[in-house]
């Protein structure tokens, strides 16, 4: 009856109670009456699952067209919140189906604005990466404003939506980068730096802090902050310190939110209304599949296409060495004679300073194939410099 009238809140309680009751008869499935009862329960579950799916499918068109959150029918939002209780009672597979369908509807416009059809002259070009991220941030705000009282926190809908958005962005970028004519280093680096900043922002918002103080220290040690221009911030500068403490504050907030989500999930699994059982029993927990990390979700695809950047670094290093070698100035280190112990070649000092800064720039973008390619270019330049030194001897 509850399924026929779509009374979701009491139906959720009854579903959980019936599930607990059937667990007591798990070993008696061959008895016809028990088998008949289980079949009836399965039919009710299928009806409720389809009802909740249709309810969320119906509201998605409203999300796409209504500009003002206040226009959304509060009664419909209440019904959606009750339907979420049913979805939880039906299990993770049903929840995943509802969330996936919801995400696909929200990102439909993203494909229209930034997908393959817009890759050349529209918003989808690499030059317009920031527009993608601005669009998604507006989407997050709209969904949060309208659906905060609807989706349970342990569903992590916004977190999953961010991952889905980055997966689609990765596919778009791979298609763009695979085409010829995308060797403009400035455009490549700007697109990659914007993607890294966005991933960092999303990771700080959604990913809870994990591990003890040792793990936190390791994360801080390998974390590189970028300024608004994509340059690496000195961790000891005022801006670098501010970024560090802001990141730690967001991590603490994320950890608290995760604890709240876990508590809510436990309470949801323990929901059994007063009735024939007249007690609360712990339902067998479905293990949650951890969400994949956000950092590198989209940005890692650039690593295969940064050869123009590596060649630019090599060209800049060679040009710098040519200029310095032409005006080689031997700084005397105490002996006062060229070639004496302690004499310092300006070119060597400039070369290693440039390499150090080049490594900083590269590791802020990639520690994979691009960094390996850069190290090979360094080897080539060092061999060339070694030949230069032999000529001076």
């Amino acid at each position: 009856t509850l399924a026929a009238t779509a009374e979701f809140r009491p139906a959720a309680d009854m579903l959980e109670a019936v599930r607990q009751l059937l667990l007591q008869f798990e070993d008696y499935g061959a008895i016809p009456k028990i088998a008949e009862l289980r079949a009836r329960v399965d039919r009710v579950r299928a009806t409720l699952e389809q009802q909740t799916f249709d309810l969320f499918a119906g509201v998605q068109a409203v999300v796409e067209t209504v500009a003002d959150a206040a226009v959304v029918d509060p009664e419909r939002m209440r019904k959606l919140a009750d339907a979420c209780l049913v979805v939880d009672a039906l299990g993770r597979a049903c929840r995943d189906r509802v969330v996936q369908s919801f995400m696909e509807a929200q990102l439909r416009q993203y494909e229209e604005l930034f997908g393959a059809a817009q890759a050349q002259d529209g918003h989808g070009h690499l030059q317009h990466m920031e527009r993608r991220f601005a669009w998604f941030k507006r989407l997050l705000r709209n969904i949060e404003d309208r659906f905060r009282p609807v989706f349970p926190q342990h569903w992590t809908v916004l977190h999953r939506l961010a991952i889905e958005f980055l997966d689609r962005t990765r596919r778009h970028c791979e298609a763009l980068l695979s085409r010829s004519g995308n060797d403009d280093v400035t455009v490549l680096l700007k697109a990659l730096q914007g993607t890294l900043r966005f991933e960092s922002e999303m990771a700080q918002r959604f990913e809870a802090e994990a591990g003890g103080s040792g793990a936190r220290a390791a994360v801080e040690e390998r974390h590189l902050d970028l300024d608004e221009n994509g340059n690496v911030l000195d961790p000891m500068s005022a801006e670098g310190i501010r970024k560090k403490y802001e990141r730690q504050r967001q991590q603490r907030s994320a950890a608290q939110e995760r604890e709240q989500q876990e508590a809510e999930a436990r309470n949801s699994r323990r929901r059994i209304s007063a009735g024939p059982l007249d007690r609360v029993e712990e339902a067998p927990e479905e293990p949650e599949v951890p969400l994949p990390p956000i950092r590198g979700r989209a940005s890692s695809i650039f690593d295969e296409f940064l050869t123009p950047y590596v060649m630019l670094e090599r060209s800049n290093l060679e040009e710098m060495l040519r200029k310095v070698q032409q005006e080689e100035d031997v700084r005397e280190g105490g002996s006062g004679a060229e070639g004496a112990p302690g004499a310092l070649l300006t070119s060597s000092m400039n070369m290693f300073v440039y390499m150090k800064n080049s490594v900083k720039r590269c590791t802020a973008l990639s520690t994979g194939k691009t960094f390996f390619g850069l190290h090979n270019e360094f080897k080539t330049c060092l061999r060339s410099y070694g030949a230069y030194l032999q000529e001076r001897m």
Side-chain angles (χ1 to χ4, degrees):
T1 303
L2 294 175
T5 57
E7 296 180 43
F8 292 119
R9 184 176 290 271
D13 288 337
M14 290 302 297
L15 267 178
E16 184 65 22
V18 169
R19 186 167 77 91
Q20 291 287 348
L21 183 60
L22 287 177
L23 285 175
Q24 310 300 320
F25 299 94
E26 192 73 32
D27 298 331
Y28 305 97
I31 298 176
K33 198 66 176 176
I34 298 297
E36 179 186 352
L37 179 61
R38 187 177 295 279
R40 289 177 58 189
V41 170
D42 289 341
R43 287 195 296 271
V44 171
R45 287 171 61 90
T47 300
L48 283 169
E49 180 173 351
Q50 190 59 47
Q51 285 178 341
T52 56
F53 188 80
D54 292 343
L55 184 63
F56 278 100
V59 82
Q60 286 160 8
V62 176
V63 173
E64 291 176 344
T65 57
V66 174
D68 186 359
V71 179
V72 177
D73 182 4
E75 179 61 24
R76 173 173 282 184
M77 294 296 106
R78 183 198 62 77
K79 200 166 187 178
L80 283 170
D82 291 348
C84 288
L85 299 175
V86 172
V87 172
D88 266 337
L90 290 171
R92 194 178 68 218
C94 180
R95 182 187 73 189
D96 289 345
R97 181 188 176 204
V98 169
V99 172
Q100 185 62 35
S101 174
F102 180 81
M103 292 191 301
E104 288 175 359
Q106 306 318 309
L107 294 175
R108 188 177 297 125
Q109 188 185 31
Y110 178 61
E111 295 291 342
E112 295 172 357
L113 290 174
F114 301 95
Q118 304 295 327
Q120 289 299 329
D121 302 321
H123 296 299
H125 196 272
L126 284 176
Q127 291 176 333
H128 306 311
M129 288 295 289
E130 291 295 342
R131 295 183 186 178
R132 295 172 177 264
F133 305 138
W135 179 91
F136 183 72
K137 290 174 185 177
R138 287 194 299 272
L139 176 67
L140 281 186
R141 286 195 298 269
N142 290 337
I143 293 177
E144 194 170 27
D145 289 342
R146 299 171 192 180
F147 288 92
R148 183 182 291 111
V150 173
F151 291 119
Q153 286 190 340
H154 67 273
W155 283 25
T156 59
V157 172
L158 296 183
H159 188 172
R160 294 170 186 271
L161 187 63
I163 292 173
E164 180 68 20
F165 169 78
L166 285 168
D167 285 345
R168 294 180 183 225
T169 301
R170 178 188 177 90
R171 291 195 292 271
H172 294 170
C173 290
E174 184 176 17
L176 286 168
L177 292 166
S178 298
R179 296 172 182 171
S180 60
N182 284 310
D183 53 357
D184 187 323
V185 178
T186 302
V187 172
L188 278 174
L189 293 185
K190 189 173 181 180
L192 175 54
Q193 289 163 349
T195 306
L196 287 168
R197 284 197 302 272
F198 176 78
E199 288 178 343
S200 178
E201 184 179 343
M202 292 297 104
Q204 290 175 19
R205 175 172 180 177
F206 293 122
E207 291 179 349
E209 182 181 24
S213 59
R216 290 195 299 271
V219 170
E220 290 295 336
E221 182 178 354
R222 66 173 180 266
H223 185 90
L224 290 173
D225 285 310
L226 305 176
D227 62 17
E228 59 184 13
N229 296 319
N231 299 316
V232 181
L233 283 173
D234 181 354
M236 300 309 295
S237 66
E239 181 67 11
I241 292 172
R242 187 188 68 78
K243 287 272 190 181
K244 173 183 175 181
Y245 283 104
E246 180 182 352
R247 183 168 64 252
Q248 290 176 346
R249 178 185 61 78
Q250 291 173 337
Q251 288 173 341
R252 286 194 297 271
S253 176
Q256 293 170 357
E257 184 175 348
R258 181 182 61 173
E259 291 175 1
Q260 183 178 353
Q261 291 170 357
E262 291 175 349
E264 184 177 341
R266 287 193 297 270
N267 291 336
S268 177
R269 288 190 292 266
R270 292 172 61 91
R271 283 179 57 93
I272 301 177
S273 62
L277 299 181
D278 198 27
R279 60 195 175 96
V280 174
E281 296 184 21
E282 185 70 26
E285 295 187 5
E286 290 183 278
E288 288 288 343
V289 178
L291 295 176
I294 286 178
R295 295 183 193 275
R297 196 76 188 169
S299 59
S300 59
I301 195 63
F302 284 83
D303 204 27
E304 297 291 325
F305 303 95
L306 287 178
T307 300
Y309 162 71
V310 174
M311 292 299 100
L312 177 64
E313 288 282 8
R314 173 177 174 171
S315 175
N316 289 341
L317 177 57
E318 290 176 340
E319 180 63 23
M320 182 272 297
L321 284 175
R322 276 196 297 269
K323 288 182 179 179
V324 175
Q325 288 168 7
Q326 288 171 0
E327 307 168 352
E328 190 68 66
D329 177 21
V330 178
R331 295 183 179 178
E332 297 184 3
S335 66
E338 181 178 345
L344 180 65
L345 293 175
T346 304
S347 58
S348 66
M349 183 171 64
N350 289 352
M351 179 183 66
F352 287 111
V353 168
Y354 182 90
M355 285 184 173
K356 178 181 177 181
N357 292 332
S358 180
V359 167
K360 267 190 174 182
R361 287 191 295 270
C362 185
T363 53
L365 304 173
S366 166
T367 56
K369 181 178 179 180
T370 302
F371 189 34
F372 183 76
L374 184 65
H375 123 273
N376 283 331
E377 299 306 325
F378 284 167
K379 288 164 62 176
T380 301
C381 289
L382 285 171
R383 291 191 192 100
S384 175
Y385 188 70
Y388 162 75
L389 293 179
Q390 286 183 333
E391 292 177 358
R392 289 181 57 90
M393 293 177 63

